Amino acid sequence: MNQYKMEPGKAYPLGATVTDSAVNFSIFSANAEKIELCIFDEQGYQELERIALPQCEHNIWHGSLKGAKAGLVYGYRVYGPYSPEYGHRFNHHKLLLDPYAKVLTGKFSWNERHFAYNVHDPKQDLSFDARDNADIMLKAVVTDPSAPVMPRNPIPWQNTVIYEGHVKGLTELNPKVPAQLRGSFLGLSHPEMIAHYRAIGITTIELLPVQQFISEAFLTDKKLTNYWGYNTLSFFVPHQDYLNQNQISDFQRMVDELHQAGFEVIIDVVYNHTCEGNRLGPTLSFRGIDNSSYYRLNPSEPRYYINDTGCGNTINISHPRVMQMVMDSLRYWVQVMGVDGFRFDLATILGREVQGFDKSNGFLDAILQDPILNSVKLIAEPWDIGPGGYQLGGFPSPWSEWNDRYRDTMRRYWRGDKGLLPEFARRIHGSSDIFEHSGRQPFASINFLTSHDGNTLYDLVSYQERHNEANGENNRDGHSDNFARNYGVEGETTDAVILAVRLRQIKNMLATLMLSQGVPMLLAGDEIGRSQKGNNNAYCQDNELNWLSWDENALYAHELKLFTASLTALRKKLPMLSHDRFIHKEDKKSTVDITWFHPSGFEMQKDQWHSHHGATLGYLLEEKMPNTPMLLCIFHAGEEIIEFQLPEITNINHWQVMVDTSTDTEHEEVRNIPAERIITIMPFSTIVLLSDSV
């Protein structure tokens, strides 16, 4: 070890930075008394030396290790008071990960030695554990600066169709992807997967968490895993289990290949909590580096954490150094790893100050002024379980938001709930009642019917109750009401009548999604009829329950794939379905007009909007230019056959049937309907008509 010499270094940049003849180490801690750099052999098994960082300025501890180079394996030991009752949990017997690590080595496994306290002591976290955990702890690896990926070519929001999927689940069972690539980053960008993305017409792939995460101990004890990944350990590191060769280049190659094919990549990020959990959790990184800075603690009892996340702790993003880490991480994923945007889990937490949510808070303002981050796609999950935690519509431009009002309204309408026509129309319209007041555009609304969290579309029409027994919580976890309907049989059936209704309802919801203003998001697998067997909280199921089945002969698979493709093609063909401003009747600034029709063929009247039993609505879009086609969408959620009088419109001779959810997509022939005639609408069906122009 005498080839290394520690000298004063530089406070910035934070992390481990390779220079000409040394590696500069820099780490933040406001309350530490001493920090040691721990050097290990190449395999990370043996600790070779501990060297104190020689300088601390502005709470940044740093040193330059002469003779060190890329490939060095390291961790930290941080000295300070172990006083949980005052918010401090330093324990130098625990090896800690650098929050700015870019590459890790080793595999994490649960052990009592990862806890700073004696797990058997009745005093719980007030006790102290002096056992060392270095031999079983993940370590960081110094890496050379990574070359950035190819420049991005952003897709405009109004042209965006999001496909939410899981890195492993998308390819693990796909026989067309080579076995060695299945379940990995590189499997996602394999030509066979790209062919599927193209076939169904999506533009943007949104991946569940890809930053390094671990499974909670209680799941491991039950032989389950945190499959979704909302349990982050390292905010700069791609998750090890999705790799083939290299922790950085595998991800970069995936992004490059998807970019070259014309697709965007958005990643789901979890900057609201970490895997260290509550006061009884392990000490792996942030807790041992500076607990009272990195986490929000109860002001009156700092031993306890504020738990606005429901996951045990809440990251203290109000602290400038913690915010700096988050901002540095986001920029790294854009500039080095190449992603096109982010979906922020429990994003309300990121906008919460002491007095509550503030759309002009420090973090949201920092994003707004950042020249890198304010130009990528930013999507908020606008709720958490903290006080004032539901903030749909509360984020500033240029943010978009997951719109759960859209999800619930569409599910209820197609289930057959009554009195929903006004709400149904507002959601189709782009939810202007939620977003327009602050000058935002329709793409502020991310419209979705299903997501990773909840039922698949197939299960929404097959299971009325949750079936989460496999999760090991006696079926108590997950939402108890999903606005679902099984149409006569709970789960699988061979009844042809029930199967036909279920297929039609899936198609109705897909059609509504693609015919609504705003940005549609499709859950991966809904386009081929994927089921989770009624499990609406499958976060811990790393198995066939979550992995997509690519059996082309499976029930609904071929038909739904064709139908999804037809809808995305229609949306692409008709820009008025994704207008860049909210469409209002007689809006002189808009190039598109909108009219709502009653089955009588006349415009909707006030009493018809508020008819409790109303279940049918026509939606006409037209461009304000001569000789351009009009689009008429007719939605019927009733259980009876009805007659719909097509409206009298000058200069239209015929309507062409573009979508009819009561027919077979593959064998459907082009049909033209004379103008001004009455058409028959089948129960639970959608018909979309495109006019000719004269």
Side-chain angles (χ1 to χ4, degrees), residues 266-267 269 330 333-334 339 341-344 376-379:
I266 290 175
I267 61 172
V269 288
L330 291 169
W333 285 96
V334 173
V339 304
F342 305 93
R343 181 265 188 188
F344 291 81
V376 303
K377 286 185 164 73
L378 302 168
I379 302 172

Side-chain angles (χ1 to χ4, degrees), residues 63-84:
S64 178
L65 190 63
K66 297 294 182 181
K69 56 185 179 180
L72 186 74
V73 179
Y74 73 100
Y76 286 113
R77 296 182 186 274
V78 182
Y79 294 73
Y82 186 81
S83 304

Side-chain angles (χ1 to χ4, degrees), residues 213-284:
F213 61 87
I214 62 174
S215 292
E216 295 89 336
F218 79 91
L219 288 177
T220 302
D221 290 344
K222 292 190 288 188
K223 302 189 184 306
L224 297 171
T225 63
N226 189 319
Y227 173 77
W228 286 351
Y230 293 90
N231 202 42
T232 312
L233 173 63
S234 293
F235 292 110
F236 292 79
V237 181
H239 187 58
Q240 291 176 317
D241 292 342
Y242 303 154
L243 301 173
N244 291 96
Q245 296 177 345
N246 184 282
Q247 213 147 15
I248 295 175
S249 63
D250 273 16
F251 189 92
Q252 290 178 320
R253 179 180 160 190
M254 173 197 72
V255 172
D256 271 345
E257 289 172 347
L258 289 170
H259 281 174
Q260 289 174 32
F263 298 100
E264 291 181 314
V265 178
I266 290 175
I267 61 172
D268 200 332
V269 288
V270 190
Y271 294 110
N272 56 75
H273 74 281
T274 77
C275 66
E276 291 185 309
N278 64 16
R279 63 187 179 86
L280 301 179
T283 295
L284 305 174

Side-chain angles (χ1 to χ4, degrees), residues 146-193:
S146 300
V149 297
M150 293 173 57
R152 297 182 301 108
N153 185 22
I155 295 170
W157 267 118
Q158 57 264 38
N159 298 339
T160 299
V161 178
I162 297 173
Y163 187 68
E164 190 207 26
H166 186 280
V167 173
K168 184 175 183 180
L170 278 167
T171 61
E172 184 70 12
L173 296 178
N174 193 337
K176 295 181 179 179
V177 174
Q180 69 272 19
L181 298 183
R182 294 175 199 163
S184 73
F185 291 124
L186 296 182
L188 271 182
S189 59
H190 186 270
E192 289 291 343
M193 292 302 298

Side-chain angles (χ1 to χ4, degrees), residues 439-456:
R440 297 164 75 187
Q441 296 168 289
F443 61 69
S445 178
I446 304 297
N447 299 331
F448 67 106
L449 298 159
T450 55
S451 68
H452 68 275
D453 188 1
N455 282 330
T456 67

Side-chain angles (χ1 to χ4, degrees), residues 614-688:
T616 310
L617 187 63
Y619 163 43
L620 180 75
L621 290 176
E622 57 180 313
E623 295 192 32
K624 296 178 182 178
M625 292 184 291
N627 302 320
T628 55
M630 299 180 183
L631 188 74
L632 177 62
C633 308
I634 302 171
F635 307 98
H636 176 53
E639 299 189 35
E640 69 288 336
I641 297 174
I642 68 161
E643 303 294 318
F644 195 104
Q645 171 66 57
L646 298 181
E648 293 186 22
I649 301 176
T650 306
N651 296 332
I652 292 181
N653 290 328
H654 293 87
W655 293 93
Q656 181 180 347
V657 178
M658 306 300 293
V659 175
D660 185 347
T661 60
S662 66
T663 63
D664 183 338
T665 305
E666 184 174 15
H667 301 104
E668 184 177 9
E669 297 180 356
V670 176
R671 289 185 290 151
N672 289 317
I673 297 175
E676 302 176 22
R677 64 162 284 186
I678 295 174
I679 62 172
T680 300
I681 310 290
M682 300 300 291
F684 299 123
S685 60
T686 301
I687 293 181
V688 179

